[in-house]
Amino acid sequence: MFTGIITDIGEIVSFTPTAQGQLHRLRIACRYDQTTIADGASIACNGVCLTVVASGVADGRTWFDVDAAAETLALTTAKHWKLGTKLNLERALKIGDELGGHIVAGHADGIATIVSREDLPDMARFVLSTTRELARFIATKGSITLDGVSLTINTVADVTFSVLIIPHTLTVTTIGGWKAGAEVNIEVDLMARYAARLTEMK
């Protein structure tokens, strides 16, 4: 489990398609202490929970390897990742850690498209659109995870919604580089999904 609070920005430094393109082995450079990264550990990369298969240090930088499988490539923005792509990183939640965002599974539900970006004094407002299936779980003042970042929904209109990003978040995540037309991973609030299911079963 995760919280949607980003702890580093990683960079893809090696990219190897395998299994007829159905699996991508990625090497991601980061600032984590390599001695704390165990094989089999979970690290959320742009909101996608991936399993560490190896780690090490090269040129003074920690790196870890993960595999992005066919389903991940089909359902998330991982299909667009390439050498140099910057990724929001979060280590798995430990018992006793502060829950600063909201409960995030790291299982991206799909993709949202950035409709517009409006730069405001010290903030940025983004309007995004997603599928009707996912839009039913999105509500004003509710929580949402975009590229691994826990955010509060500002407004909702049919299949579009907006978020306001504060300066700190623009600085410590990849959101500062978002542009209209780009795609981001979306994970809807787990509680909203359960609430919808309970309503359906009545």
Side-chain angles (χ1 to χ4, degrees):
M1 301 298 289
F2 305 91
T3 69
I5 302 300
I6 303 306
T7 53
D8 195 12
I9 295 179
E11 179 182 359
I12 297 177
V13 294
S14 176
F15 181 93
T16 308
T18 59
Q20 289 76 50
Q22 295 302 301
L23 184 74
H24 290 174
R25 171 66 59 88
L26 308 173
R27 176 162 294 181
I28 300 170
C30 65
R31 295 179 296 177
Y32 295 141
D33 180 353
Q34 189 271 330
T35 63
T36 68
I37 302 176
D39 288 358
S42 295
I43 298 180
C45 305
N46 268 14
V48 181
C49 178
L50 297 174
T51 301
V52 174
V53 297
S55 65
V57 177
D59 300 322
R61 299 178 75 189
T62 296
W63 59 263
F64 63 90
D65 288 351
V66 293
D67 290 328
E71 182 174 5
T72 299
L73 297 174
L75 297 178
T76 74
T77 62
K79 58 178 166 284
H80 302 312
W81 296 353
K82 57 188 178 182
L83 281 177
T85 295
K86 297 293 184 11
L87 303 172
N88 293 317
L89 303 180
E90 182 187 357
R91 306 287 296 271
L93 184 66
K94 297 183 181 70
I95 298 298
D97 283 353
E98 180 178 345
L99 186 61
H102 70 283
I103 296 174
V104 176
H107 302 153
D109 293 299
I111 290 172
T113 301
I114 300 171
V115 175
S116 65
R117 170 177 179 154
E118 180 184 3
D119 288 305
L120 305 167
D122 297 324
M123 290 193 300
R125 179 177 184 269
F126 292 90
V127 176
L128 303 97
S129 66
T130 189
T131 63
R132 188 164 297 279
E133 169 63 24
L134 293 180
R136 68 194 183 103
F137 300 115
I138 299 173
T140 302
K141 305 305 179 186
S143 296
I144 197 161
T145 308
L146 298 177
D147 269 359
V149 184
S150 172
L151 298 169
T152 300
I153 298 156
N154 187 239
T155 62
V156 176
D158 196 36
V159 297
T160 66
F161 62 96
S162 69
V163 290
L164 280 171
I165 311 298
I166 63 174
H168 176 77
T169 305
L170 289 172
T171 301
V172 301
T173 73
T174 63
I175 295 179
W178 284 6
K179 298 178 181 178
E183 294 181 335
V184 298
N185 294 318
I186 179 173
E187 180 183 329
V188 298
D189 186 13
L190 196 61
M191 296 303 180
R193 185 177 289 282
Y194 281 127
R197 181 59 175 163
L198 287 170
T199 301
E200 291 169 357
M201 293 300 291
K202 287 183 179 178

